[in-house]
Amino acid sequence: MSEEMKCPATVFFVGSGPGDPELITVKGMKLLKEAEVVVYAGSLVRERVLDFCGNSPEVYNSASMSLAEIVSIMIEAAKSGKKVVRLHTGDPSLYGALREQAEALEKEGIPYGIVPGVSSAFASAAALKRELTLPGVTQTVIFTRLEGRTPVPESERLSALAAHGATICIFLSVAMMDEVVSELSKGYAPEVPVAVVYRASWEDEMVVKGTLADIAAKVRDAGITRQAMIIVGRAIGDGPVERSRLYDPGFKHGYRK
Ligand code: SAH
């Protein structure tokens, strides 16, 4: 018997985007339309994306569930032939405990697919109207976080990452702003631009801009303690911009001879 016959339905892990329901992909929206079972993290995924459901699915909020409970819902539903969507906030490949859920499905021989989403890092860059990779400044973006319950390897301490001078997007850390600043200060000058974007793409999105020297106080004054992205690096500043080679008339490439 083929895998497909054993389990007719595929479970889809779908990135629901950063908050604005229109920032889900067309593919993700179509899967929600068809879904018979939807599992979502109520604390992070905006419930408004559930409006795309068109099949009156059973909906589970995973916020208070253990991993075992979440996967057993998905496994049982898939085995009974139901179309399952597991919604993740932003993109599923970042800080989403995706791997452990996927492995549990693999163990049961349940096929699954992953549909990417717009990460909050990109929604935050859009809110700032900034390019994260800026010619003459940096060609590198680092996604990281401060240590919380999940440990971060010693070699990835913010102070070590700061030494690269790249753009750094810091997830899950705005509640520890003082520590973020003290770690970054070991590699960046006090005047390096830092921005904090609260709920990028939501109606109540808030952008706080400053420098390493004053951002912690500004974030405290704004009362932001959660659901925010910290972006640091010269690329997000207002400094002069070097022209990109891509549109340089002297630069020939495959599409411009
Ligand atoms: N997979 C998600 C990240 C999940 S971790 C993604 O790709 O965006 C949760 C963290 O993401 C939050 O602590 C916060 O740092 C960030 N985050 C999620 N949604 C956000 C939003 N709309 N605006 C700013 N930061 C957000």
Side-chain angles (χ1 to χ4, degrees):
M1 203 164 39
S2 81
E3 210 85 312
E4 296 301 306
M5 281 160 71
K6 257 193 288 179
C7 180
T10 298
V11 174
F12 282 97
F13 295 91
V14 174
S16 63
D20 177 348
E22 293 194 356
L23 289 177
I24 194 170
T25 62
V26 173
K27 202 175 229 65
M29 186 183 71
K30 283 183 176 164
L31 285 165
L32 271 183
K33 204 171 203 167
E34 300 289 310
E36 295 166 288
V37 173
V38 176
V39 185
Y40 76 107
S43 55
L44 291 164
V45 170
R46 274 195 90 182
E47 304 196 338
R48 279 182 53 198
V49 299
L50 298 175
D51 291 347
F52 292 125
C53 294
N55 218 354
S56 315
E58 295 160 41
V59 176
Y60 297 90
N61 182 343
S62 66
S64 58
M65 292 183 196
S66 66
L67 177 77
E69 288 171 307
I70 296 167
V71 296
S72 80
I73 288 170
M74 296 195 288
I75 289 168
E76 265 176 49
K79 283 188 171 165
S80 64
K82 290 184 183 152
K83 293 177 183 153
V84 182
V85 167
R86 165 67 164 135
L87 282 174
H88 279 258
T89 174
D91 183 85
S93 71
L94 294 171
Y95 310 108
L98 172 68
R99 183 74 182 263
E100 58 212 62
Q101 299 173 66
E103 276 177 7
L105 298 181
E106 277 169 27
K107 257 199 209 133
E108 296 286 327
I110 294 169
Y112 64 90
I114 298 170
V115 178
V118 176
S119 173
S120 58
F122 302 126
S124 298
L128 295 171
K129 300 192 169 71
R130 281 295 179 272
E131 182 174 358
L132 301 180
T133 55
L134 198 61
V137 174
T138 184
Q139 291 294 293
T140 303
V141 183
I142 296 172
F143 295 139
T144 191
R145 60 169 298 170
L146 272 192
E147 187 159 298
R149 272 171 300 175
T150 307
V152 173
E154 184 61 28
S155 61
E156 295 169 24
R157 288 188 70 105
L158 268 185
S159 52
L161 300 179
H164 295 282
T167 304
I168 309 186
C169 299
I170 308 167
F171 292 73
L172 294 157
S173 305
V174 77
M176 298 172 276
M177 211 51 212
D178 289 330
E179 200 183 333
V180 168
V181 167
S182 100
E183 285 289 307
L184 289 174
S185 300
K186 295 174 189 161
Y188 286 101
E191 55 277 4
V192 72
V194 186
V196 169
V197 184
Y198 169 75
R199 287 189 169 178
S201 87
W202 294 51
E203 291 83 355
D204 56 354
E205 170 186 291
M206 190 176 9
V207 173
V208 177
K209 288 184 191 171
T211 62
L212 202 49
D214 63 16
I215 195 72
K218 286 183 171 178
V219 167
R220 206 173 306 126
D221 290 347
I224 301 173
T225 57
R226 54 198 277 271
Q227 286 183 304
M229 175 67 52
I230 307 163
I231 304 188
V232 54
R234 284 199 297 131
I236 63 158
D238 298 322
V241 175
E242 200 175 286
R243 288 249 218 100
S244 146
R245 295 287 150 81
L246 184 59
Y247 298 111
D248 181 337
F251 177 69
K252 306 213 182 337
H253 55 64
Y255 297 98
R256 196 168 53 217
K257 296 276 152 31

